[in-house]
Amino acid sequence: MSGTEETAPARLSGVSAERSTRARVARLILEHGPITAPALGERLGLTPAAVRRHLDALLADGMIEPRTARPRGQRGRGRPAKLFAITDAGRSAFEHAYDGLAGSALRFLAERVGEQAVAEFARSQVSGLVGRLRHEMREVPADQRVRVLAEALSADGYAASASKASLGGEQLCQHHCPVAHVAAEFPQLCEAETEAFAQILGTPVQRLATIAHGDGVCTTHVSPRRGAAEPGATARQAPQQAPGASPSATHEAIDETSKETGR
């Protein structure tokens, strides 16, 4: 057996491992980006050289794009940190292949039955999430409910995270949306999801940004809980901002932070 034949399986194994690691890098950027190269290396246990190799390949393929972190407070003497964020092409690589069929089905429904039927369909799609979590949330401490919802969304493929909002309340971020392309045409999907969050958490919420509208992350602000509102009770959803309207100072600040960091 020649040396070439002996090493062929090893080379194939190496290529497979390389692709697997690159996919892990891309998914980490999707879920936690924008993120720095050192942070990626720390999370994945990769050397700086390995991280750079995978980043260069992903950049060449158009899967990710570089960004510069905005300095906060006084500027240091060093260069601003370079962040890496997922692109639309990169996001599409993780999305389901049923967008075309789903979009056609909803267009057919809207044409034959009407827009209200699309809204009812959207609510039926999130009713399962509401049914699973509405009663469970009664046993969850109030300060942990957004985190529990984020975990449930992540299990459904939305790569969600929860964090405290700097100006009060909490933020629920979804770094991936399997139906983003369809939701861009049918906003009823996003509206129904937002209503479901309010029902599950038992407090008003407001959608600040969506992947479907071109933002990097779907970001929902969860209002601080007042009184003894229970999950599953009728929760008034915070009014949606009208297109072109000027948001409040609080939501403007939260929105800006969300679009930059996804947190």
Side-chain angles (χ1 to χ4, degrees):
M1 184 176 292
S2 69
T4 300
E5 291 174 333
E6 289 175 350
T7 59
R11 287 203 305 272
L12 290 174
S13 177
V15 170
S16 178
E18 187 83 353
R19 290 176 177 172
S20 176
T21 302
R22 191 159 300 159
R24 289 169 59 207
V25 172
R27 176 165 288 280
L28 195 61
I29 294 173
L30 169 71
E31 296 180 353
H32 299 283
I35 188 171
T36 65
L40 284 167
E42 182 178 349
R43 287 174 180 267
L44 295 173
L46 299 175
T47 64
V51 171
R52 172 52 57 187
R53 184 174 69 253
H54 291 301
L55 289 175
D56 286 345
L58 291 170
L59 285 166
D61 290 341
M63 298 283 285
I64 62 173
E65 61 184 5
R67 296 182 183 179
T68 301
R70 290 187 180 183
R72 297 185 181 278
Q74 295 185 350
R75 296 186 180 182
R77 294 183 179 180
R79 291 180 300 175
K82 179 180 287 187
L83 304 174
F84 295 93
I86 204 78
T87 62
D88 288 341
R91 195 184 305 280
S92 296
F94 289 94
E95 292 177 354
H96 297 297
Y98 303 111
D99 282 359
L101 179 61
S104 297
L106 288 177
R107 281 189 290 274
F108 179 87
L109 190 64
E111 292 169 2
R112 295 298 181 92
V113 185
E115 295 292 333
Q116 184 58 34
V118 176
E120 292 177 6
F121 170 82
R123 284 192 289 270
S124 73
Q125 288 298 102
V126 295
S127 63
L129 180 68
V130 175
R132 293 201 320 265
L133 295 183
R134 183 170 53 185
H135 301 296
E136 178 183 335
M137 285 295 186
R138 297 181 186 274
E139 306 300 325
V140 176
D143 62 350
Q144 297 295 316
R145 289 174 183 167
V146 179
R147 178 186 61 78
V148 171
L149 175 56
E151 291 174 352
L153 289 169
S154 292
D156 287 344
Y158 288 85
S161 62
S163 63
K164 296 293 183 183
S166 59
L167 298 179
E170 297 178 79
Q171 280 191 170
L172 176 67
C173 293
Q174 294 157 267
H175 301 268
H176 178 53
C177 177
V179 297
H181 292 160
V182 180
E185 182 177 355
F186 296 98
Q188 296 96 324
L189 297 174
C190 294
E191 293 164 4
E193 185 180 69
T194 307
E195 292 173 3
F197 293 166
Q199 293 177 34
I200 291 168
L201 298 172
T203 190
V205 304
Q206 183 175 25
R207 186 59 63 87
L208 301 178
T210 63
I211 294 171
H213 290 163
D215 299 305
V217 182
C218 291
T219 307
T220 304
H221 180 250
V222 181
S223 299
R225 292 167 185 79
R226 303 182 185 281
E230 286 293 335
T234 301
R236 182 178 61 84
Q237 181 180 329
Q240 295 290 327
Q241 179 185 325
S246 176
S248 67
T250 298
H251 286 151
E252 187 177 43
I254 294 173
D255 193 15
E256 183 65 23
T257 301
S258 303
K259 291 180 181 179
E260 288 179 21
T261 67
R263 296 177 176 83

